[in-house]
Amino acid sequence: MPVLEGRELRIVGFLCNWCSYGGADTAGVARFEQPTDLRVIRVPCSGRIDPLFVAKAFMNGADGVLVSGCHPRDCHYAEGNFYARRRLEVFKNVISVLGIEPERFEYTWVSASEGQRWQEVVTKFTKQVHALGPMVSVPEVSLDRLAALEPAQS
Amino acid sequence: MLDQLKETIKKALPELDFVMGWGMGFDALHATPLFMYEPEDVDKLVWGPLNIQNLATYLPSLKGKKVGIVVKGCDSRSVAELLQEKLVNRDEVVIFGMACQGTVNLTKVREIVGNTGLVEDVKYENGKLTVTADGQPHEMLLKDVRADKCGYCRFPNAVISDHFVGEERAPQVEEDTFEDLKEFESQSFEERRDFWMKEMDRCLRCYACRNACPLCVCRDHCVAQSRDPHWVSQQDGIRDKFMFQIIHATHMAGRCTNCGECERACPVDIPVLLLKRSFNRAVKNTFAYDAGLDAGATPPLLAFKVNEDNIKEKEW
Amino acid sequence: MAKYLKQDDLGSWLKELGKTYKVIAPVEEGDAVIFRPLTDERTLRIDRQATQGPKGVLFPACEELVSFKYGKDPEKPEKVTVDIQETVDAEPTLIFGSRPCDARGFDVFDNAFTKCSVKDSYYMARREQAVVVSLACTKTETTCFCNWVGGAPDGKGGSDVLLTPITGGYLVESVTDKGAALLDSPLLSEATGEHTAEAEKLLAAARESLREAPDFKCVPEQLYNLFDNMDFWEKQAAKCLSCGACTYLCPTCHCFNITDEQQGNQGSRIRSWDNCMSRLFTEEASGHNPRPTKAHRLKNRVGHKFCYFPDMHEGHIACVGCGRCIKSCPVALDIREVVTAAKECRLPEEETADD
């Protein structure tokens, strides 16, 4: 059993290749201490992030999702993050209706040089998700099937 | 008024392949889309609170033909949105509008009548609906059995039309305040999740919601049935069904005109419009935008501002 | 020999049967009525036709056929092993409250799954362990047309026991030996002549209330004749949305898809409902699609039910007239109208001959 079992949550991070992934790298090179809950998925640009990536992550059992791209007006592809900002903002306003606490999802901007800021963002977000605890997962089967499986498991 | 509409359609018909309206379906309670090819077909046209279908759904598949369409206020918004997205050519569609009095939600009628399969006769007069079923007349106010969307309707008259017949009608409300969403959100997150789990559990995956939606235009090429990318599996578990509804709603963001066809078409009455409404509210609050009002506007998610009005830049 | 069950004893009888069988019955869920395992928290609704029939009990919307797991041989890392487990999932099940039309749907399934040269072991295992207790219809709906396709409000085909609601209770008749075993309960008493007479009167009225059945003898031939008449089918399908509501609610539709759903090294091969109204149903790997439009697909749906299936199964029409495809169609497309139009459609050759 991993030592962090029960203490670690599943947080998915979508980071753009040019800024935030570099920022996370900078934080690592500088040996800033960070929580280990975050799993990073590198994407070419925050504009590549379909809000459905976030939804799918939650459906598949993520307890929190963090998206990070280049600062506005500083996108490697000039305007990718402007589109991302609109989509993610709308999506953030919607997830509460799905029954997901809005605090489980944040989007932010971190540049490649901001190792310190990356550390702060990850620490703060991880704390925020831990305050909510693990999310109740959406069953992969029907409710009747779930009810039939439960006694067998316990 | 209906006669005037029929006259107008008959006059325009020779120039058109056909005109879409509503006729009586298999019983007095169920209207059905009517495709009018000949003048005598026009005589079968009906107008009233039973005209529940949104005929704009057919338009994208009719490109290349020249067709007429009869619209309610909400339907006209779908047409405007389709024009805006260039999925329909303006010179290929002739729009006939009339003021809408609201449409019936058949599920609500069933709650009053008991079994709508036994309906023998329906009369509508002055806002009152009389449904005779199994020999028993049931009187009800349209106000009490109309679709929820009609309760917060701002556009009873066609927002875009070539022929508008009759008088315009005053809207129900000035502003949609999303009371239904507020009520839903008075529940805890756990209750909301449980609500969706329960509702999604009986989804058949028949995709009536998708195919009835006038703006779900991928139709035969939907990601829900794609193996690569594999957004949803073929399992009948809640996770995949819910994921599909999220996909549908997300793809409607900034485009949904709130016609409610998704929810109406659902054979097992899953309230899926609520998800789209939450997107509509977010789009309205963030970009002060309503879909399907201006065929010349750019949808907000296809545009950006360097400095956004309602998005905080450095909250996080 | 008929028995009588008091209305008040229905619950106790189902509880009693629940000891031997998993009881599945129509219950209220949201605004719909669907078949679910009967539990104390659920409300039985047998006063109106269920939104969806019980077909999923014997032919689930999705079932695992096999589960598989890939592994590596530690001795020979280049060798991949596959461990395959067959999943057979059948238990004694009692379907309560199906209508005679629903039960006849199982007859169609039997034709397709157990009476062909290749037998479907998954379906057969469930069918063998299932008992069907149906409820005769004393009221018929505007969408009902069981009499057009060989059924009746009190039809017995596919059922093991048939209940007829009468004053204060039910007349209970066994149809098969499997069903007769259920009637041993002390809760049931001998039916009197009055009971049977009342039931017969109610059922006669129900049969009477249905629209007169047209003669469908020439329909298969007409459908073959109309096969290439796409004008006809395009008009019939004009309002069709090409969704799958009709097929998934249909008690006889039994087409399926088989897919492998894999996550990491393990997964399962599942069988799930498919429907001919979907484009992907016939799309070939080359990209060619023999049924490219909704008109082609509607032609297939009607043709299969009223022509191709009867051809293969001794004239058995693959439609039971339950009317769900009409009632729940988002655009109220009426299959009766399509079949009638096909029957009455005069073919171009005939017209010229007459002229």
Side-chain angles (χ1 to χ4, degrees):
Chain A
M1 191 167 136
V3 279
L4 290 168
E5 176 88 34
R7 287 192 284 144
E8 202 176 63
L9 291 176
R10 284 159 302 184
I11 302 178
V12 179
F14 292 101
L15 311 189
C16 84
N17 179 48
W18 303 99
C19 291
S20 295
Y21 195 81
D25 213 20
T26 308
V29 169
R31 298 184 178 273
F32 293 142
E33 206 175 306
Q34 310 169 32
T36 50
D37 306 47
L38 189 88
R39 274 82 159 160
V40 173
I41 297 173
R42 179 164 62 153
V43 290
C45 173
S46 56
R48 172 65 184 94
I49 297 164
D50 186 333
L52 291 171
F53 292 178
V54 182
K56 185 82 177 164
F58 279 123
M59 287 297 124
N60 284 9
D63 302 306
V65 179
L66 178 70
V67 169
S68 186
C70 305
H71 286 277
R73 292 173 292 279
D74 202 17
C75 175
H76 182 80
Y77 300 105
E79 41 191 51
N81 58 2
F82 290 135
Y83 289 104
R85 183 168 60 181
R86 284 200 162 191
R87 291 175 200 149
L88 297 168
E89 177 69 19
V90 167
F91 197 71
K92 187 164 169 57
N93 276 300
V94 163
I95 56 170
S96 68
V97 174
L98 307 177
I100 301 169
E101 294 88 342
E103 294 81 11
R104 290 189 188 274
F105 167 59
E106 298 290 353
Y107 68 96
T108 186
W109 321 115
V110 173
S111 83
S113 60
E114 293 176 317
Q116 186 77 48
R117 177 166 156 75
W118 175 252
Q119 181 206 28
E120 283 159 19
V121 163
V122 176
T123 312
K124 190 173 155 203
F125 184 65
T126 308
K127 228 180 240 167
Q128 186 171 308
V129 175
H130 270 270
L132 292 165
M135 199 165 84
V136 182
S137 72
V138 180
E140 222 176 331
V141 293
S142 68
L143 289 183
D144 278 329
R145 185 102 191 102
L146 194 69
L149 290 173
E150 252 163 19
Q153 274 170 359
S154 60
Chain B
M1 205 75 78
L2 176 61
D3 291 332
Q4 207 183 325
L5 178 63
K6 286 182 183 169
E7 276 319 303
T8 317
I9 293 174
K10 278 184 186 167
K11 236 181 253 166
L13 195 55
E15 308 290 313
L16 300 168
D17 286 327
F18 54 82
V19 177
M20 297 182 284
W22 299 270
M24 220 53 249
F26 58 85
D27 69 16
L29 190 61
H30 292 82
T32 182
L34 174 72
F35 288 68
M36 297 168 273
Y37 303 89
E38 308 293 337
E40 55 266 31
D41 296 335
V42 182
D43 295 325
K44 292 183 214 149
L45 184 72
V46 296
W47 178 271
L50 299 176
N51 294 359
I52 49 179
Q53 293 93 358
N54 180 354
L55 308 173
T57 304
Y58 299 110
L59 283 180
S61 63
L62 298 171
K63 250 188 164 178
K65 291 199 168 90
K66 188 155 171 149
V67 299
I69 179 170
V70 187
V71 293
K72 309 185 285 285
C74 48
D75 307 342
S76 73
R77 288 181 65 189
S78 308
V79 181
E81 183 66 28
L82 288 168
L83 289 168
Q84 188 179 348
E85 298 179 17
K86 301 193 172 50
L87 294 160
V88 170
N89 296 326
R90 187 67 188 89
D91 56 354
E92 286 179 350
V93 58
V94 175
I95 307 161
F96 302 88
M98 220 155 90
C100 174
Q101 64 289 303
T103 55
V104 157
N105 176 334
L106 292 174
T107 303
K108 289 185 188 171
V109 175
R110 187 172 61 211
E111 270 157 27
I112 294 176
V113 173
N115 186 349
T116 44
L118 307 173
V119 168
E120 288 138 8
D121 186 42
V122 178
K123 279 204 173 63
Y124 174 68
E125 245 172 19
N126 303 326
K128 204 168 72 187
L129 202 67
T130 312
V131 179
T132 311
D134 202 14
Q136 288 287 321
H138 301 263
E139 279 192 3
M140 56 201 89
L141 294 174
L142 176 59
K143 188 160 67 68
D144 297 331
V145 291
R146 70 184 170 198
D148 290 340
K149 64 170 176 176
C150 304
Y152 46 77
C153 174
R154 288 174 293 154
F155 306 99
N157 313 299
V159 297
I160 177 170
S161 64
D162 300 296
H163 304 278
F164 191 85
V165 176
E167 308 247 313
E168 293 207 347
R169 192 181 281 264
Q172 287 290 333
V173 290
E174 285 299 315
E175 214 37 71
D176 180 358
T177 48
F178 295 96
E179 293 305 320
D180 49 343
L181 274 176
K182 282 183 197 155
E183 197 189 319
F184 182 75
E185 284 170 335
S186 66
Q187 303 176 89
S188 72
F189 286 97
E190 202 184 342
E191 285 168 322
R192 296 178 212 180
R193 270 197 295 265
D194 287 350
F195 171 84
W196 287 120
M197 296 309 101
K198 256 207 188 114
E199 294 292 324
M200 289 302 157
D201 196 31
R202 67 172 181 277
C203 166
L204 306 171
R205 298 193 75 168
C206 70
Y207 296 124
C209 49
R210 178 191 75 188
N211 288 33
C213 174
L215 292 160
C216 240
V217 286
C218 304
R219 293 280 155 78
D220 287 349
H221 305 271
C222 178
V223 291
Q225 281 152 319
S226 149
R227 298 288 298 171
D228 185 19
H230 200 41
W231 277 103
V232 290
S233 84
Q234 296 300 306
Q235 307 267 17
D236 72 336
I238 296 169
R239 188 185 289 180
D240 289 299
K241 294 171 178 179
F242 195 28
M243 186 64 206
F244 172 71
Q245 289 305 333
I246 297 171
I247 294 175
H248 187 182
T250 308
H251 286 174
M252 288 299 122
R255 307 171 62 227
C256 172
T257 58
N258 206 39
C259 74
E261 281 292 88
C262 47
E263 183 164 317
R264 186 194 65 76
C266 180
V268 289
D269 291 300
I270 302 175
V272 287
L273 181 60
L274 199 66
L275 291 176
K276 283 123 203 163
R277 299 256 304 147
S278 69
F279 274 95
N280 292 354
R281 180 178 63 180
V283 167
K284 175 94 184 170
N285 290 346
T286 319
F287 310 112
Y289 177 85
D290 282 300
L293 295 184
D294 174 6
T298 310
L301 291 177
L302 294 182
F304 65 85
K305 276 184 178 173
V306 173
N307 295 305
E308 295 284 359
D309 304 326
N310 296 317
I311 303 177
K312 284 188 199 138
E313 195 158 303
K314 265 269 169 71
E315 199 165 65
W316 245 84
Chain C
M1 180 192 53
K3 296 242 177 164
Y4 175 71
L5 173 70
K6 280 197 289 227
Q7 177 70 47
D8 296 343
D9 288 339
L10 176 64
S12 323
W13 189 48
L14 289 174
K15 270 235 164 73
E16 200 179 279
L17 293 169
K19 285 180 198 148
T20 326
Y21 298 98
K22 181 176 169 190
V23 178
I24 301 195
V27 296
E28 198 172 72
E29 200 175 296
D31 291 314
V33 176
I34 45 176
F35 279 79
R36 293 274 194 218
L38 197 58
T39 58
D40 291 338
E41 302 89 61
R42 285 171 166 157
T43 326
L44 183 71
R45 281 295 297 269
I46 47 175
D47 56 326
R48 65 172 160 109
Q49 186 189 44
T51 317
Q52 186 183 24
K55 82 161 165 182
V57 182
L58 298 188
F59 176 50
C62 170
E63 65 179 312
E64 189 179 85
L65 301 176
V66 294
S67 61
F68 55 84
K69 198 172 180 179
Y70 289 104
K72 277 229 166 31
D73 188 338
E75 301 297 315
K76 287 189 202 149
E78 72 280 6
K79 199 175 150 200
V80 179
T81 57
V82 192
D83 176 35
I84 295 173
Q85 293 281 322
E86 191 185 16
T87 323
V88 182
D89 187 16
E91 56 185 314
T93 305
L94 184 133
I95 298 170
F96 177 80
S98 50
R99 299 288 172 164
C101 49
D102 299 333
R104 278 192 81 218
F106 295 138
D107 275 352
V108 174
F109 284 0
D110 290 345
N111 270 307
F113 290 138
T114 66
K115 292 183 185 161
C116 294
S117 51
V118 179
K119 314 246 182 290
D120 187 304
S121 56
Y122 295 90
Y123 173 81
M124 260 167 72
R126 276 187 297 265
R127 182 68 167 128
E128 272 160 20
Q129 299 209 46
V131 202
V132 182
V133 180
S134 295
L135 196 67
C137 303
T138 49
K139 284 243 154 60
T140 60
E141 301 192 3
T142 48
T143 44
C144 287
F145 63 108
C146 56
N147 57 330
W148 293 29
V149 289
D154 56 339
K156 295 194 169 85
S159 301
D160 296 299
V161 174
L162 186 71
L163 267 62
T164 309
I166 51 176
T167 321
Y170 303 89
L171 183 77
V172 189
E173 294 166 276
S174 63
V175 180
T176 62
D177 292 344
K178 212 171 13 174
L182 305 186
L183 269 55
D184 285 340
S185 165
L187 292 163
L188 288 105
S189 56
E190 293 298 319
T192 63
E194 270 169 52
H195 290 144
T196 36
E198 190 194 347
E200 189 36 54
K201 201 175 135 207
L202 287 168
L203 293 171
R207 284 192 295 263
E208 196 59 33
S209 69
L210 287 165
R211 276 199 241 166
E212 201 191 328
D215 184 5
F216 273 179
K217 253 191 233 102
C218 64
V219 166
E221 200 198 331
Q222 270 296 94
L223 286 170
Y224 278 129
N225 291 337
L226 283 167
F227 194 84
D228 290 319
N229 190 341
M230 285 318 289
D231 275 356
F232 174 83
W233 291 108
E234 264 158 33
K235 283 231 164 109
Q236 294 301 326
K239 63 181 163 190
C240 176
L241 295 172
S242 205
C243 74
C246 49
T247 55
Y248 289 169
L249 295 174
C250 176
T252 73
C253 274
H254 53 269
C255 289
F256 55 81
N257 189 12
I258 294 179
T259 49
D260 284 357
E261 302 291 348
Q262 192 177 340
Q263 271 182 348
N265 287 330
Q266 50 190 341
S268 52
R269 174 158 298 175
I270 59 165
R271 162 158 81 176
S272 53
W273 289 352
D274 200 351
N275 77 85
C276 57
M277 307 310 277
S278 142
R279 182 191 73 123
L280 287 180
F281 188 73
T282 45
E283 189 170 80
E284 295 163 11
S286 65
H288 169 70
N289 195 338
R291 293 183 204 143
T293 71
K294 61 182 182 182
H296 291 87
R297 297 171 209 152
L298 184 74
K299 174 175 75 174
N300 177 71
R301 182 172 152 77
V302 175
H304 188 242
K305 293 200 175 311
F306 290 90
C307 177
Y308 326 140
F309 191 89
D311 266 3
M312 286 187 290
H313 301 281
E314 292 149 16
H316 202 308
I317 295 176
C319 167
V320 291
C322 73
R324 287 194 183 91
C325 59
I326 308 168
K327 181 159 54 172
S328 289
C329 174
V331 294
L333 201 156
D334 192 339
I335 194 168
R336 291 171 298 190
E337 269 179 29
V338 182
V339 180
T340 311
K343 188 185 152 203
E344 284 162 9
C345 180
R346 292 191 351 146
L347 301 159
E349 296 87 351
E350 289 176 42
E351 264 172 28
T352 40
D354 283 355
D355 294 342

